[in-house]
Amino acid sequence: MKILLMMILCFFLAGCAPVGTTPSLPTVPAESVLAPTEAPETVPETTVPDPVGALMEALSVEEKVGQLFLARCDAQRAVEDIAACHLGGFVLFKADFENETPDTLRSKLRSYQDTASIPLLLAVDEEGGTVTRISRFPAFRDQVFPSPREAYDYGGFGWALVMEDEKIRMLADLGLNVNLGPVCDMADDPAGFMYERSLGQDAETTGEFVAMTVDLMSQNRIGSVLKHFPGYGNNADTHVGMARDSRSLSELEGRDLRPFAAGIEAGADAVLVTHTIVEALDGELPASLSPAVHRYLRETMGFAGVILTDDLVMEAITDRYGAGEAAVLAVQAGNDLLCSTDYLTQYQAVLEAVEDGRIDMEVLDAAVRNVLEWKMELGLI
């Protein structure tokens, strides 16, 4: 996969570097080889260091709960809330870029990181097309990034990956470390909510694009987030109400779940779970709040990274559960990270649920460890 990815990028970018010669293997001196009767020296046992474990031992319950929140950035109170809620990170939206330049944005993000006792995940939705938080502003890019669908239609894999590569490098240069993508959803109905945001190709092609994008992001230490698990399909917009998916599990596994599987195999860091009720996995709870959906992702699909919710203030959730209870249910279901606009309310609700035993400390610690290990992999810790 990496070889194919590099060949494509080299073709569309400035050009491939010349292929070097294969180095010869070093010669092992004959005297260094153990004779048949010699026994190797006993190697003393060593303890493998656990920096995440050591860090967790020093954290209070309040600090651990804070690490579960990927909060919608409020620039007016961001520094205050980092300190008060020990936030795991921020999601930035277009308002956070609108009146900024690259230099002022870098300065602002550095101030956030300098305030945090544990480095922050700084995330953005820069998909291209209809979801662009940064490139819509000329201070950052002359033209808006095309959607993956538009880029693929224009120039196939090559052009789509060139756009992803440029996007990733822009984020890294600005001090952002997570992009909420790639989009794994498959939608073929032009009226569907995810139609413009999907690649618009079959499951195999979409999976190849997802895997190549994840690999690019990994090479540049930009966190990848597969979304919206287990596949939005042609369903309605959960921002404004509940959506129900009645497709069978075999249908999902034969199509919508395949790009997620490809991304997981490529080493994706995180998976974002939708608020849709997916009847094949759980006929009652939204996927984001469903233990059954999370077990399927962990046990059947073998995903070991960070699981996060879509924003917990979407009406599909708040209309039915309320903000505080939704956050508690999300942690109980198996999410490690909560995307949250109403994070002040939800932080307090989760903290109280830990203190009164509704959320077990083992559940909290497992989620915090996943978040901190992701930060370590990104070079933040």
Side-chain angles (χ1 to χ4, degrees):
M1 179 65 71
K2 289 186 177 181
I3 295 173
L4 175 59
L5 175 57
M6 293 305 299
M7 289 175 65
I8 291 173
L9 286 176
C10 286
F11 178 80
F12 277 86
L13 295 169
C16 292
V19 179
T21 57
T22 303
S24 59
L25 295 173
T27 302
V28 181
E31 59 271 19
S32 70
V33 179
L34 290 174
T37 56
E38 293 182 42
E41 294 183 8
T42 301
V43 179
E45 292 186 6
T46 57
T47 302
V48 178
D50 179 14
V52 170
L55 176 57
M56 287 182 62
E57 288 182 7
L59 297 180
S60 66
V61 172
E62 291 80 4
E63 289 170 322
K64 288 180 179 180
V65 170
Q67 286 302 297
L68 305 188
F69 283 87
L70 189 65
R72 182 166 186 159
C73 186
D74 180 348
Q76 299 302 312
R77 54 178 302 138
V79 170
E80 175 186 347
D81 288 343
I82 292 168
C85 298
H86 321 286
L87 296 171
F90 280 131
V91 180
L92 283 76
F93 286 79
K94 71 175 185 177
D96 299 294
F97 303 96
E98 189 167 6
N99 297 312
E100 303 287 348
T101 67
D103 286 340
T104 62
L105 180 67
R106 291 186 197 102
S107 178
K108 181 168 71 172
L109 297 184
R110 277 196 301 269
S111 74
Y112 296 166
Q113 294 288 24
D114 290 344
T115 301
S117 57
I118 299 174
L120 300 162
L121 298 169
L122 294 174
V124 67
D125 282 300
E126 187 67 22
E127 296 176 12
T130 60
V131 182
T132 48
R133 314 304 189 193
I134 309 173
S135 64
R136 65 175 57 228
F137 299 111
F140 295 95
R141 195 171 189 271
D142 291 338
Q143 292 183 321
V144 174
F145 278 114
S147 70
R149 177 185 287 267
E150 292 167 333
Y152 189 91
D153 287 347
Y154 177 80
F157 272 127
W159 192 244
L161 291 170
V162 165
M163 292 296 98
E164 293 302 316
D165 184 68
E166 184 180 336
K167 194 184 301 177
I168 290 162
R169 293 177 187 277
M170 179 184 74
L171 267 58
D173 179 63
L174 293 173
L176 297 156
N177 49 48
V178 174
N179 196 14
L180 297 176
V183 171
C184 299
D185 301 286
M186 300 183 62
D188 50 27
D189 181 355
F193 176 62
M194 290 301 301
Y195 181 81
E196 294 294 337
R197 297 166 63 184
S198 64
L199 187 68
Q201 303 299 313
D202 61 24
E204 182 178 0
T205 304
T206 302
E208 289 180 38
F209 170 74
V210 166
M212 290 178 179
T213 301
V214 165
D215 191 49
L216 271 178
M217 297 174 81
S218 177
Q219 290 175 40
N220 290 276
R221 276 192 161 177
I222 294 294
S224 55
V225 180
L226 309 180
K227 64 182 187 185
H228 304 75
F229 186 83
Y232 221 106
N234 295 316
N235 287 295
D237 182 2
T238 53
H239 291 79
V240 296
M242 186 59 70
R244 184 176 287 272
D245 191 329
S246 59
R247 290 175 294 173
S248 69
L249 184 58
S250 62
E251 286 179 277
L252 293 172
E253 289 177 335
R255 183 173 181 264
D256 290 57
L257 286 165
R258 288 173 60 190
F260 289 97
I264 290 169
E265 185 176 358
D269 300 305
V271 173
L272 183 148
V273 185
T274 179
H275 297 319
T276 303
I277 294 176
V278 182
E279 294 178 352
L281 296 171
D282 188 329
E284 296 296 325
L285 293 170
S288 56
L289 306 184
S290 168
V293 170
H294 289 73
R295 282 195 301 271
Y296 183 89
L297 179 55
R298 292 289 192 207
E299 298 172 10
T300 303
M301 300 199 70
F303 180 65
V306 169
I307 302 178
L308 66 156
T309 69
D310 214 336
D311 197 324
L312 287 172
V313 299
M314 291 184 183
E315 292 182 21
I317 296 297
T318 55
D319 284 354
R320 185 172 179 182
Y321 301 100
E325 183 65 10
V328 173
L329 292 172
V331 178
Q332 291 174 333
N335 292 287
D336 305 305
L337 201 57
L338 313 182
C339 289
S340 175
T341 295
D342 192 5
Y343 55 89
L344 296 177
T345 297
Q346 294 179 330
Y347 169 82
Q348 191 60 39
V350 172
L351 179 59
E352 290 174 2
V354 172
E355 291 173 340
D356 67 21
R358 289 186 65 201
I359 294 176
D360 191 90
M361 277 300 302
E362 290 184 3
V363 172
L364 175 63
D365 283 346
V368 174
R369 174 174 281 277
N370 281 344
V371 172
L372 295 181
E373 286 181 347
W374 188 15
K375 291 184 176 185
M376 187 168 66
E377 289 170 6
L378 293 176
L380 302 176
I381 297 176

